[in-house]
Amino acid sequence: MPVPSDAHPLVELRGVAKTYGRGEVAVHALKATDLRVYPGEVVGLLGPSGSGKTTLLNLVGCIVEPTEGSLSLDGQTVYDGGWRCADLRRLRLEKIGFIFQFHNLLPFLTAGENVAVVLDLAGYSGAAARDRARDLLDYLEVGHRFGTLPSRLSGGEAQRVAIARALANRPRIILADEPTAALDSQRAGIVLDLLRKVAVEQQAAILVVSHDEKIFDRFDRRIVLRDGRVVEYDEPAHGPAEA
Amino acid sequence: MNLALRDVRHNLGRFLLTCLGLSLLLGVVLSMIGIYRGLVDEALTLARAPGADLWVVESGTRGPFAESSRIPGDERDSVARLAGVAEAGSLTFQSVETAHRGRTLRLYVVGHELNRPGAPARIVAGRPITRAHYEMVADRRSGLDLGERLRLGRNDFTVVGLTDGLVASGGDPVVFLTLADSQRLQFDLDPPAARRERARGSGPAGTDIVNAVVARVLPGVPVQEVADTAARWKHLSALTQGQQEALLLQSVVEKARRQIGLFTTILLAVSAVVIALILYTLTMDKVKEIATLKLIGAPDRTIVGLIVHQALAMGVIGWSVGTVLILLVKDHFPRRVVLTPEDALMLGAAVLIICVAASGLGVRLALKVDPATALGG
């Protein structure tokens, strides 16, 4: 999908690197990397195991601190030689939605509560959180499973509930870690279609880590990593500026 | 949204079983406190039974409970004549063992003078002793019924009245006889032994010996002054009621108190360790969920609440069930168990503090969980 030429990136990394350890035992998990993801895009982050995909996701998710470079999310500089945000969890709550490989739903909450918990943390009232959770589950066609515990959901249903949770707080950035790894190709396709729908309708930037070859051609762009370095970078297709 | 409550709901069986175990442990703690209170209560009950202000005993002793004391029975008259004394009565105390319904029955016999201080203050069934011989008032704990006859020494006694809750510090139920009967029980020899004593040329030994004389003083008269006057007689010692009670607690109950106190402390420590281990294990089971919560933006107070609320719920349920359990079974204990609301509330407060402290390990683990744990397989 073409990105308007005047669009600002929701995710922007400038020379971001991450090194674990020091001296001889230092591991350069990610070398200086530049990356931009725009609203409405679904970008695939590809590469073999150990290539730095998860490290990159952790950096964008403000879970680990970069060793160098700068990071901006939704126009706000979050890291530039040090964290520029005092409450990273609040930042994640407000700006980032996470989708996990194995859905990571809280087993003691129903599908509806798993979605509502994010809204509860954001300060919504109980009724408002429940209504929004129900709307989201209906939107993702699992509204009939509102009161069901995760252990009684199928893999596909659980992943839809996880997507609903990621969308609950209307984040502009969605980070997905192998969201289709536990699904067959048909369900994987459905999940990717859902993410695309979300990206377009909510103008969100979606970064998907995957080494699932069957979905490689379903991304708007692909960024390939190897040994902590970007080895293939699809530039966004810019379209006309928005009126 | 209370995550702790929902987690409990999800693992209800395991949580309730844990609470049951904890309640049994806390029930034992509470029963130990109750047993100690019972010991104190029983010890003081006997000392308070005569309703005395003053105890006059053998010189140089701290009788009649902490040490043995023997004084001539006619000292009662001397004490009664002291300025400020309203009335006085002689008392004897002795333990006896007899057969009752085919079983051995241990009793603590109190001999008292009719119509003088020393008789049981409250009869719950029947009447007080009115005849000079062969009647007794027994405590219900003895298992004796009204009208029942019991052999003590060489004589049979009829139970004419019952008291409730009067036992000696050793736990033996108290029975009351007249002073004369109790002295005969203590000093009269069997006929063969008496014949042998006569054959040896020994005259009959004096049997008007009592263990203590109790006195009530007139209103407005300082008890200590009367005690000091009595103590001037070289062959007697005198203790006020307060001194007698303090002496009882120090000598008779003190070791039991320390023993039970230490045992209670150990049990509380064990409870704390058990709670800490349970919470740590429950937290270990939730590492991935905690990481997910952190990743989606849950603040530390939400994570801490998940653990501490469960710890508090465990403590409150364990304490409540434990208390109810002990209230239901306390009367089946062989010794008296006295549960006071203050002790139960103090234990409740201690349990809450222990729960919060014990959840520290789990909280520490939870706060150290790396949110990145939620990512990846």
Side-chain angles (χ1 to χ4, degrees), chain A residues 110-138:
Chain A
T110 63
E113 288 169 341
N114 259 289
V115 179
V117 71
V118 179
L119 300 161
D120 184 68
L121 292 170
Y124 278 62
S125 73
R130 265 196 308 279
D131 290 346
R132 167 96 177 124
R134 191 173 289 282
D135 288 348
L136 275 168
L137 291 177
D138 285 340

Side-chain angles (χ1 to χ4, degrees), chain B residues 41 56 69 103 110 115 149 157 227 242 245 269 295 321 341 368:
Chain B
D41 195 56
V56 180
S69 154
R103 295 173 66 181
V110 177
N115 304 317
R149 290 172 70 81
F157 292 84
E245 288 183 13
L295 201 60
V321 175
K368 282 170 72 178

